């Protein structure tokens, strides 16, 4: 499947975040908010962002087709709203399981322009602020633009 145009093809953040919103909401039962969302934030929630880092050129294509990125999730719960610590870590575990290397959540159906080559958790960080518990997890991603994704 080819992209409508080059700007659509190179909107990595849009496509990866939207795909993750769909499968993370399904896997966790929790609302997922993509970067730049203007929706009212609820709790519990998962916030996601996708940041492109570096591109590599392949031998058979004039454009950069191999890319590296960081995918960040923030899981936020509120103990004041009777969302206990156990619920928080249940969501954390479900997010990690959804982002395992062997999971098939980012696929040709929800990412028709890209092939996910590699994913691994790089770090996690947890903090509490009053009643809020937040766990941030960062995942390294390597992906390639499919040859048939370039517009004609």
């Amino acid at each position: 499947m080819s992209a409508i145009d080059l700007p659509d093809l190179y909107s990595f953040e849009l496509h990866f975040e939207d795909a993750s919103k769909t499968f993370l909401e399904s896997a966790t039962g929790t609302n997922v908010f993509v970067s730049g969302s203007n929706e009212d934030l609820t709790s519990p929630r998962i916030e996601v962002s996708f940041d492109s880092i570096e591109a590599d050129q392949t031998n058979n294509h004039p454009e950069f087709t191999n890319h590296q990125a960081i995918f960040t999730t923030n899981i936020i719960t509120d103990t004041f709203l009777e969302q206990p610590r156990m619920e928080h870590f249940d969501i954390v575990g479900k997010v990690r399981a959804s982002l395992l290397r062997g999971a098939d959540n980012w696929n040709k159906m929800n990412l028709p322009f890209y092939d996910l080559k590699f994913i691994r958790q790089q770090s996690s960080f947890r903090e509490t602020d009053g009643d809020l518990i937040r766990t941030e997890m960062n995942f390294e991603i390597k992906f390639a633009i499919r040859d048939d994704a370039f517009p004609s």
Side-chain angles (χ1 to χ4, degrees):
M1 168 187 256
S2 64
I4 298 167
D5 54 24
L6 286 176
D8 182 36
L9 180 63
Y10 282 94
S11 295
F12 307 139
E13 297 81 1
L14 172 73
H15 297 295
F16 274 87
E17 289 178 10
D18 286 356
S20 72
K21 177 179 174 57
T22 301
F23 70 75
L24 287 174
E25 282 183 342
S26 176
T28 65
T30 303
N31 290 326
V32 175
F33 297 89
V34 297
S35 66
S37 173
N38 61 357
E39 300 174 61
D40 290 334
L41 299 179
T42 60
S43 178
R45 70 178 176 272
I46 302 167
E47 299 172 355
V48 298
S49 67
F50 183 91
D51 299 298
S52 183
I53 298 175
E54 185 176 9
D56 295 317
Q57 190 170 356
T58 60
N59 294 334
N60 61 350
H61 203 282
E63 298 298 334
F64 294 101
T65 57
N66 294 325
H67 295 268
Q68 294 181 38
I70 297 293
F71 180 71
T72 302
T73 64
N74 280 290
I75 295 97
I76 300 161
T77 55
D78 188 342
T79 58
F80 181 76
L81 298 175
E82 298 183 14
Q83 298 160 4
R85 180 176 182 265
M86 189 170 87
E87 180 180 349
H88 179 87
F89 288 106
D90 181 57
I91 298 168
V92 169
K94 288 176 180 176
V95 169
R96 277 195 181 113
S98 295
L99 296 171
L100 288 173
R101 188 169 61 168
D104 188 26
N105 288 312
W106 275 314
N107 54 50
K108 193 168 185 164
M109 295 298 292
N110 60 21
L111 285 177
F113 309 144
Y114 318 109
D115 281 323
L116 182 69
K117 303 291 187 184
F118 178 84
I119 184 169
R120 74 175 174 103
Q121 185 177 332
Q122 282 190 318
S123 64
S124 67
F125 170 78
R126 186 173 32 268
E127 71 177 346
T128 56
D129 182 10
D131 295 322
L132 296 178
I133 304 172
R134 179 178 76 93
T135 298
E136 177 180 302
M137 293 184 288
N138 296 295
F139 295 83
E140 175 187 9
I141 288 180
K142 295 180 183 179
F143 68 98
I145 298 173
R146 295 189 168 135
D147 287 336
D148 65 351
F150 283 90
S152 305

Short mmCIF file of all heavy atoms in Angstrom, two decimals, residues 68-120:
data_model
loop_
_atom_site.label_atom_id
_atom_site.label_comp_id
_atom_site.label_asym_id
_atom_site.label_seq_id
_atom_site.Cartn_x
_atom_site.Cartn_y
_atom_site.Cartn_z
N GLN A 68 15.44 4.85 13.31
CA GLN A 68 15.43 4.51 14.73
C GLN A 68 14.58 5.54 15.46
O GLN A 68 14.51 6.70 15.05
CB GLN A 68 16.85 4.53 15.30
CG GLN A 68 17.74 3.45 14.71
CD GLN A 68 19.12 3.49 15.32
OE1 GLN A 68 19.26 3.73 16.52
NE2 GLN A 68 20.13 3.26 14.51
N ALA A 69 13.94 5.10 16.53
CA ALA A 69 13.05 5.99 17.26
C ALA A 69 13.00 5.56 18.72
O ALA A 69 13.44 4.48 19.09
CB ALA A 69 11.65 5.93 16.65
N ILE A 70 12.43 6.44 19.52
CA ILE A 70 12.12 6.15 20.92
C ILE A 70 10.60 6.28 21.08
O ILE A 70 10.01 7.29 20.70
CB ILE A 70 12.83 7.12 21.89
CG1 ILE A 70 14.33 7.00 21.79
CG2 ILE A 70 12.34 6.90 23.33
CD1 ILE A 70 14.88 5.67 22.28
N PHE A 71 10.01 5.23 21.63
CA PHE A 71 8.59 5.24 21.94
C PHE A 71 8.46 5.32 23.45
O PHE A 71 9.01 4.48 24.17
CB PHE A 71 7.92 3.97 21.40
CG PHE A 71 6.45 3.91 21.67
CD1 PHE A 71 5.58 4.74 21.01
CD2 PHE A 71 5.95 3.01 22.59
CE1 PHE A 71 4.22 4.69 21.26
CE2 PHE A 71 4.59 2.94 22.86
CZ PHE A 71 3.72 3.79 22.18
N THR A 72 7.77 6.33 23.93
CA THR A 72 7.64 6.56 25.37
C THR A 72 6.20 6.38 25.81
O THR A 72 5.28 6.87 25.16
CB THR A 72 8.12 7.98 25.73
OG1 THR A 72 9.47 8.14 25.31
CG2 THR A 72 8.03 8.23 27.23
N THR A 73 6.03 5.65 26.90
CA THR A 73 4.71 5.50 27.52
C THR A 73 4.79 6.07 28.94
O THR A 73 5.80 5.91 29.62
CB THR A 73 4.27 4.03 27.60
OG1 THR A 73 5.16 3.31 28.46
CG2 THR A 73 4.24 3.38 26.23
N ASN A 74 3.74 6.73 29.34
CA ASN A 74 3.58 7.17 30.73
C ASN A 74 2.27 6.61 31.23
O ASN A 74 1.21 6.89 30.65
CB ASN A 74 3.54 8.70 30.81
CG ASN A 74 4.92 9.29 30.76
OD1 ASN A 74 5.69 9.15 31.71
ND2 ASN A 74 5.26 9.93 29.66
N ILE A 75 2.36 5.79 32.27
CA ILE A 75 1.16 5.22 32.89
C ILE A 75 0.90 6.03 34.15
O ILE A 75 1.79 6.16 35.01
CB ILE A 75 1.35 3.73 33.23
CG1 ILE A 75 1.51 2.91 31.95
CG2 ILE A 75 0.17 3.20 34.02
CD1 ILE A 75 2.91 2.64 31.58
N ILE A 76 -0.30 6.58 34.27
CA ILE A 76 -0.61 7.47 35.38
C ILE A 76 -1.90 6.99 36.05
O ILE A 76 -2.92 6.79 35.39
CB ILE A 76 -0.77 8.92 34.89
CG1 ILE A 76 0.55 9.38 34.26
CG2 ILE A 76 -1.19 9.84 36.03
CD1 ILE A 76 0.45 10.56 33.36
N THR A 77 -1.81 6.80 37.36
CA THR A 77 -2.99 6.44 38.16
C THR A 77 -3.07 7.40 39.35
O THR A 77 -2.10 8.08 39.69
CB THR A 77 -2.92 4.98 38.67
OG1 THR A 77 -1.69 4.80 39.40
CG2 THR A 77 -2.98 3.99 37.52
N ASP A 78 -4.24 7.44 39.97
CA ASP A 78 -4.50 8.38 41.05
C ASP A 78 -5.07 7.62 42.24
O ASP A 78 -6.21 7.13 42.19
CB ASP A 78 -5.49 9.44 40.55
CG ASP A 78 -5.70 10.57 41.53
OD1 ASP A 78 -5.36 10.42 42.72
OD2 ASP A 78 -6.20 11.62 41.09
N THR A 79 -4.29 7.51 43.32
CA THR A 79 -4.76 6.76 44.49
C THR A 79 -5.94 7.46 45.17
O THR A 79 -6.74 6.81 45.82
CB THR A 79 -3.61 6.56 45.52
OG1 THR A 79 -3.09 7.83 45.90
CG2 THR A 79 -2.51 5.70 44.93
N PHE A 80 -6.05 8.79 45.01
CA PHE A 80 -7.18 9.51 45.58
C PHE A 80 -8.49 9.02 44.96
O PHE A 80 -9.53 9.01 45.62
CB PHE A 80 -7.03 11.02 45.35
CG PHE A 80 -8.15 11.83 45.92
CD1 PHE A 80 -8.23 12.06 47.29
CD2 PHE A 80 -9.14 12.35 45.10
CE1 PHE A 80 -9.28 12.80 47.83
CE2 PHE A 80 -10.20 13.08 45.63
CZ PHE A 80 -10.27 13.31 46.99
N LEU A 81 -8.44 8.61 43.69
CA LEU A 81 -9.62 8.10 43.00
C LEU A 81 -9.77 6.58 43.17
O LEU A 81 -10.41 5.92 42.36
CB LEU A 81 -9.56 8.46 41.51
CG LEU A 81 -9.54 9.95 41.20
CD1 LEU A 81 -9.37 10.18 39.70
CD2 LEU A 81 -10.82 10.62 41.69
N GLU A 82 -9.16 6.06 44.23
CA GLU A 82 -9.23 4.64 44.56
C GLU A 82 -8.69 3.76 43.44
O GLU A 82 -9.26 2.73 43.09
CB GLU A 82 -10.66 4.25 44.95
CG GLU A 82 -11.13 4.99 46.20
CD GLU A 82 -12.52 4.57 46.65
OE1 GLU A 82 -13.03 3.54 46.20
OE2 GLU A 82 -13.08 5.30 47.49
N GLN A 83 -7.56 4.19 42.87
CA GLN A 83 -6.82 3.38 41.90
C GLN A 83 -5.54 2.94 42.61
O GLN A 83 -4.56 3.66 42.64
CB GLN A 83 -6.51 4.21 40.65
CG GLN A 83 -7.75 4.68 39.94
CD GLN A 83 -7.51 5.86 39.01
OE1 GLN A 83 -6.40 6.31 38.83
NE2 GLN A 83 -8.59 6.35 38.43
N PRO A 84 -5.59 1.77 43.22
CA PRO A 84 -4.48 1.34 44.07
C PRO A 84 -3.21 1.04 43.28
O PRO A 84 -3.21 0.89 42.06
CB PRO A 84 -5.02 0.06 44.73
CG PRO A 84 -6.06 -0.44 43.79
CD PRO A 84 -6.65 0.77 43.14
N ARG A 85 -2.14 0.97 44.03
CA ARG A 85 -0.82 0.66 43.47
C ARG A 85 -0.86 -0.61 42.61
O ARG A 85 -0.26 -0.69 41.55
CB ARG A 85 0.16 0.51 44.63
CG ARG A 85 1.57 0.19 44.26
CD ARG A 85 2.43 0.18 45.52
NE ARG A 85 3.81 -0.09 45.20
CZ ARG A 85 4.36 -1.29 45.24
NH1 ARG A 85 3.64 -2.34 45.61
NH2 ARG A 85 5.62 -1.46 44.93
N MET A 86 -1.60 -1.62 43.06
CA MET A 86 -1.69 -2.87 42.33
C MET A 86 -2.29 -2.66 40.93
O MET A 86 -1.84 -3.25 39.95
CB MET A 86 -2.55 -3.87 43.11
CG MET A 86 -2.53 -5.27 42.54
SD MET A 86 -3.31 -6.44 43.67
CE MET A 86 -5.00 -6.28 43.18
N GLU A 87 -3.30 -1.80 40.83
CA GLU A 87 -3.90 -1.50 39.52
C GLU A 87 -2.87 -0.82 38.61
O GLU A 87 -2.78 -1.11 37.42
CB GLU A 87 -5.13 -0.60 39.67
CG GLU A 87 -5.78 -0.24 38.34
CD GLU A 87 -7.01 0.65 38.48
OE1 GLU A 87 -7.51 0.83 39.61
OE2 GLU A 87 -7.47 1.16 37.45
N HIS A 88 -2.08 0.08 39.20
CA HIS A 88 -1.05 0.78 38.43
C HIS A 88 -0.08 -0.24 37.81
O HIS A 88 0.18 -0.20 36.61
CB HIS A 88 -0.28 1.76 39.33
CG HIS A 88 0.80 2.49 38.63
ND1 HIS A 88 0.55 3.67 37.95
CD2 HIS A 88 2.12 2.22 38.46
CE1 HIS A 88 1.67 4.08 37.40
NE2 HIS A 88 2.64 3.23 37.70
N PHE A 89 0.42 -1.14 38.62
CA PHE A 89 1.41 -2.09 38.12
C PHE A 89 0.80 -3.16 37.21
O PHE A 89 1.50 -3.71 36.36
CB PHE A 89 2.22 -2.69 39.27
CG PHE A 89 3.15 -1.68 39.84
CD1 PHE A 89 2.89 -1.10 41.07
CD2 PHE A 89 4.26 -1.27 39.13
CE1 PHE A 89 3.74 -0.12 41.58
CE2 PHE A 89 5.12 -0.31 39.63
CZ PHE A 89 4.86 0.27 40.86
N ASP A 90 -0.49 -3.40 37.33
CA ASP A 90 -1.17 -4.27 36.38
C ASP A 90 -1.14 -3.63 34.99
O ASP A 90 -0.87 -4.30 33.99
CB ASP A 90 -2.60 -4.53 36.84
CG ASP A 90 -3.35 -5.45 35.90
OD1 ASP A 90 -2.87 -6.58 35.66
OD2 ASP A 90 -4.41 -5.03 35.39
N ILE A 91 -1.42 -2.33 34.92
CA ILE A 91 -1.39 -1.62 33.63
C ILE A 91 0.03 -1.60 33.09
O ILE A 91 0.26 -1.83 31.90
CB ILE A 91 -1.95 -0.19 33.77
CG1 ILE A 91 -3.42 -0.24 34.19
CG2 ILE A 91 -1.79 0.59 32.46
CD1 ILE A 91 -3.99 1.10 34.62
N VAL A 92 1.03 -1.34 33.95
CA VAL A 92 2.44 -1.34 33.53
C VAL A 92 2.79 -2.69 32.90
O VAL A 92 3.39 -2.75 31.82
CB VAL A 92 3.38 -1.03 34.72
CG1 VAL A 92 4.84 -1.30 34.36
CG2 VAL A 92 3.19 0.41 35.18
N GLY A 93 2.40 -3.77 33.56
CA GLY A 93 2.70 -5.11 33.03
C GLY A 93 2.02 -5.37 31.69
O GLY A 93 2.61 -5.97 30.79
N LYS A 94 0.78 -4.93 31.55
CA LYS A 94 0.06 -5.12 30.29
C LYS A 94 0.70 -4.32 29.15
O LYS A 94 0.77 -4.78 28.01
CB LYS A 94 -1.41 -4.73 30.45
CG LYS A 94 -2.19 -5.73 31.28
CD LYS A 94 -3.63 -5.27 31.51
CE LYS A 94 -4.40 -6.28 32.34
NZ LYS A 94 -5.76 -5.81 32.65
N VAL A 95 1.17 -3.10 29.46
CA VAL A 95 1.85 -2.30 28.44
C VAL A 95 3.14 -2.99 28.01
O VAL A 95 3.42 -3.14 26.82
CB VAL A 95 2.12 -0.86 28.94
CG1 VAL A 95 3.07 -0.11 28.01
CG2 VAL A 95 0.81 -0.10 29.10
N ARG A 96 3.94 -3.43 28.99
CA ARG A 96 5.18 -4.14 28.65
C ARG A 96 4.91 -5.37 27.79
O ARG A 96 5.60 -5.62 26.83
CB ARG A 96 5.92 -4.56 29.92
CG ARG A 96 6.77 -3.49 30.51
CD ARG A 96 7.74 -4.07 31.53
NE ARG A 96 8.52 -3.01 32.11
CZ ARG A 96 8.45 -2.61 33.38
NH1 ARG A 96 7.62 -3.21 34.22
NH2 ARG A 96 9.21 -1.63 33.81
N ALA A 97 3.90 -6.15 28.17
CA ALA A 97 3.56 -7.36 27.41
C ALA A 97 3.14 -7.01 25.99
O ALA A 97 3.47 -7.73 25.05
CB ALA A 97 2.47 -8.15 28.13
N SER A 98 2.43 -5.90 25.82
CA SER A 98 2.00 -5.47 24.49
C SER A 98 3.15 -5.02 23.61
O SER A 98 3.04 -5.01 22.39
CB SER A 98 0.99 -4.32 24.59
OG SER A 98 -0.18 -4.74 25.23
N LEU A 99 4.26 -4.64 24.25
CA LEU A 99 5.40 -4.11 23.51
C LEU A 99 6.58 -5.07 23.48
O LEU A 99 7.71 -4.68 23.16
CB LEU A 99 5.82 -2.76 24.10
CG LEU A 99 4.75 -1.67 23.97
CD1 LEU A 99 5.15 -0.43 24.77
CD2 LEU A 99 4.48 -1.32 22.52
N LEU A 100 6.32 -6.34 23.78
CA LEU A 100 7.38 -7.34 23.67
C LEU A 100 7.79 -7.51 22.21
O LEU A 100 6.99 -7.31 21.30
CB LEU A 100 6.90 -8.69 24.22
CG LEU A 100 6.75 -8.79 25.73
CD1 LEU A 100 6.10 -10.12 26.10
CD2 LEU A 100 8.10 -8.63 26.41
N ARG A 101 9.02 -7.92 22.02
CA ARG A 101 9.55 -8.11 20.66
C ARG A 101 8.71 -9.12 19.88
O ARG A 101 8.51 -8.99 18.68
CB ARG A 101 11.01 -8.55 20.74
CG ARG A 101 11.70 -8.59 19.42
CD ARG A 101 13.17 -8.77 19.57
NE ARG A 101 13.48 -10.03 20.24
CZ ARG A 101 14.68 -10.54 20.31
NH1 ARG A 101 15.69 -9.91 19.77
NH2 ARG A 101 14.89 -11.67 20.92
N GLY A 102 8.21 -10.14 20.56
CA GLY A 102 7.42 -11.17 19.90
C GLY A 102 5.95 -10.82 19.69
O GLY A 102 5.22 -11.54 19.02
N ALA A 103 5.51 -9.71 20.28
CA ALA A 103 4.11 -9.30 20.11
C ALA A 103 3.90 -8.78 18.69
O ALA A 103 4.79 -8.17 18.11
CB ALA A 103 3.75 -8.22 21.13
N ASP A 104 2.74 -9.02 18.15
CA ASP A 104 2.45 -8.61 16.78
C ASP A 104 1.44 -7.47 16.77
O ASP A 104 0.45 -7.50 16.05
CB ASP A 104 1.92 -9.82 15.98
CG ASP A 104 1.78 -9.50 14.51
OD1 ASP A 104 2.49 -8.63 14.01
OD2 ASP A 104 0.92 -10.12 13.86
N ASN A 105 1.68 -6.47 17.60
CA ASN A 105 0.73 -5.38 17.69
C ASN A 105 0.93 -4.30 16.64
O ASN A 105 -0.03 -3.69 16.18
CB ASN A 105 0.76 -4.77 19.09
CG ASN A 105 0.14 -5.70 20.09
OD1 ASN A 105 -0.95 -6.21 19.86
ND2 ASN A 105 0.81 -5.96 21.19
N TRP A 106 2.17 -4.03 16.29
CA TRP A 106 2.44 -3.11 15.18
C TRP A 106 2.64 -4.00 13.96
O TRP A 106 3.64 -4.71 13.85
CB TRP A 106 3.69 -2.28 15.44
CG TRP A 106 3.42 -1.05 16.23
CD1 TRP A 106 2.41 -0.16 16.03
CD2 TRP A 106 4.17 -0.54 17.33
NE1 TRP A 106 2.49 0.85 16.94
CE2 TRP A 106 3.57 0.65 17.75
CE3 TRP A 106 5.32 -0.99 18.00
CZ2 TRP A 106 4.05 1.42 18.80
CZ3 TRP A 106 5.79 -0.23 19.03
CH2 TRP A 106 5.16 0.96 19.44
N ASN A 107 1.69 -3.99 13.05
CA ASN A 107 1.73 -4.91 11.92
C ASN A 107 1.28 -4.20 10.64
O ASN A 107 1.00 -3.00 10.66
CB ASN A 107 0.86 -6.14 12.21
CG ASN A 107 -0.55 -5.74 12.58
OD1 ASN A 107 -1.19 -4.97 11.89
ND2 ASN A 107 -1.03 -6.27 13.70
N LYS A 108 1.21 -4.95 9.57
CA LYS A 108 0.86 -4.36 8.27
C LYS A 108 -0.56 -3.79 8.26
O LYS A 108 -0.87 -2.91 7.46
CB LYS A 108 1.04 -5.39 7.17
CG LYS A 108 1.02 -4.79 5.80
CD LYS A 108 1.48 -5.75 4.73
CE LYS A 108 1.54 -5.01 3.41
NZ LYS A 108 2.29 -5.69 2.41
N MET A 109 -1.42 -4.29 9.13
CA MET A 109 -2.80 -3.77 9.18
C MET A 109 -2.85 -2.36 9.76
O MET A 109 -3.56 -1.51 9.24
CB MET A 109 -3.68 -4.71 10.01
CG MET A 109 -3.85 -6.09 9.40
SD MET A 109 -4.64 -6.05 7.78
CE MET A 109 -6.27 -5.52 8.23
N ASN A 110 -2.12 -2.11 10.84
CA ASN A 110 -2.20 -0.79 11.47
C ASN A 110 -1.01 0.11 11.12
O ASN A 110 -1.03 1.30 11.44
CB ASN A 110 -2.41 -0.89 12.98
CG ASN A 110 -1.31 -1.62 13.70
OD1 ASN A 110 -0.20 -1.74 13.22
ND2 ASN A 110 -1.63 -2.11 14.89
N LEU A 111 0.02 -0.44 10.50
CA LEU A 111 1.17 0.34 10.01
C LEU A 111 1.49 -0.10 8.57
O LEU A 111 2.48 -0.76 8.33
CB LEU A 111 2.41 0.12 10.90
CG LEU A 111 2.43 0.80 12.24
CD1 LEU A 111 3.69 0.41 13.00
CD2 LEU A 111 2.33 2.31 12.11
N PRO A 112 0.64 0.26 7.63
CA PRO A 112 0.81 -0.26 6.27
C PRO A 112 2.05 0.24 5.54
O PRO A 112 2.45 -0.35 4.54
CB PRO A 112 -0.47 0.20 5.55
CG PRO A 112 -0.94 1.37 6.33
CD PRO A 112 -0.53 1.13 7.75
N PHE A 113 2.69 1.30 6.04
CA PHE A 113 3.85 1.86 5.34
C PHE A 113 5.19 1.38 5.90
O PHE A 113 6.23 1.65 5.32
CB PHE A 113 3.84 3.39 5.40
CG PHE A 113 2.54 4.01 4.99
CD1 PHE A 113 2.08 5.15 5.63
CD2 PHE A 113 1.76 3.48 3.96
CE1 PHE A 113 0.89 5.74 5.26
CE2 PHE A 113 0.57 4.06 3.59
CZ PHE A 113 0.13 5.20 4.24
N TYR A 114 5.17 0.70 7.06
CA TYR A 114 6.42 0.42 7.76
C TYR A 114 6.53 -1.04 8.20
O TYR A 114 5.53 -1.69 8.47
CB TYR A 114 6.54 1.30 9.02
CG TYR A 114 6.11 2.73 8.81
CD1 TYR A 114 4.93 3.21 9.35
CD2 TYR A 114 6.88 3.60 8.03
CE1 TYR A 114 4.52 4.52 9.14
CE2 TYR A 114 6.47 4.91 7.82
CZ TYR A 114 5.29 5.36 8.37
OH TYR A 114 4.88 6.65 8.16
N ASP A 115 7.77 -1.49 8.32
CA ASP A 115 8.07 -2.80 8.91
C ASP A 115 8.80 -2.55 10.23
O ASP A 115 9.88 -1.94 10.22
CB ASP A 115 8.99 -3.62 8.00
CG ASP A 115 8.26 -4.27 6.86
OD1 ASP A 115 7.11 -4.70 7.07
OD2 ASP A 115 8.84 -4.36 5.76
N LEU A 116 8.23 -3.00 11.33
CA LEU A 116 8.90 -2.92 12.62
C LEU A 116 9.97 -4.00 12.65
O LEU A 116 9.67 -5.18 12.50
CB LEU A 116 7.91 -3.12 13.76
CG LEU A 116 8.50 -3.01 15.16
CD1 LEU A 116 8.93 -1.58 15.46
CD2 LEU A 116 7.49 -3.47 16.19
N LYS A 117 11.22 -3.60 12.82
CA LYS A 117 12.35 -4.54 12.79
C LYS A 117 12.80 -4.96 14.19
O LYS A 117 13.32 -6.05 14.38
CB LYS A 117 13.54 -3.93 12.04
CG LYS A 117 13.24 -3.50 10.63
CD LYS A 117 13.01 -4.69 9.75
CE LYS A 117 12.87 -4.27 8.29
NZ LYS A 117 12.57 -5.38 7.44
N PHE A 118 12.63 -4.05 15.16
CA PHE A 118 13.24 -4.27 16.47
C PHE A 118 12.54 -3.39 17.49
O PHE A 118 12.21 -2.24 17.20
CB PHE A 118 14.72 -3.89 16.37
CG PHE A 118 15.50 -4.01 17.64
CD1 PHE A 118 16.04 -5.22 18.03
CD2 PHE A 118 15.72 -2.90 18.44
CE1 PHE A 118 16.79 -5.33 19.21
CE2 PHE A 118 16.45 -3.00 19.61
CZ PHE A 118 16.99 -4.22 19.99
N ILE A 119 12.29 -3.93 18.67
CA ILE A 119 11.78 -3.14 19.79
C ILE A 119 12.34 -3.72 21.07
O ILE A 119 12.40 -4.95 21.23
CB ILE A 119 10.24 -3.08 19.83
CG1 ILE A 119 9.76 -2.15 20.95
CG2 ILE A 119 9.64 -4.46 19.92
CD1 ILE A 119 8.28 -1.82 20.91
N ARG A 120 12.79 -2.85 21.98
CA ARG A 120 13.25 -3.31 23.29
C ARG A 120 13.11 -2.16 24.28
O ARG A 120 13.26 -0.99 23.94
CB ARG A 120 14.69 -3.79 23.27
CG ARG A 120 15.71 -2.70 23.17
CD ARG A 120 17.14 -3.24 23.28
NE ARG A 120 18.08 -2.17 23.05
CZ ARG A 120 18.76 -1.55 24.01
NH1 ARG A 120 18.62 -1.92 25.26
NH2 ARG A 120 19.60 -0.57 23.72
#
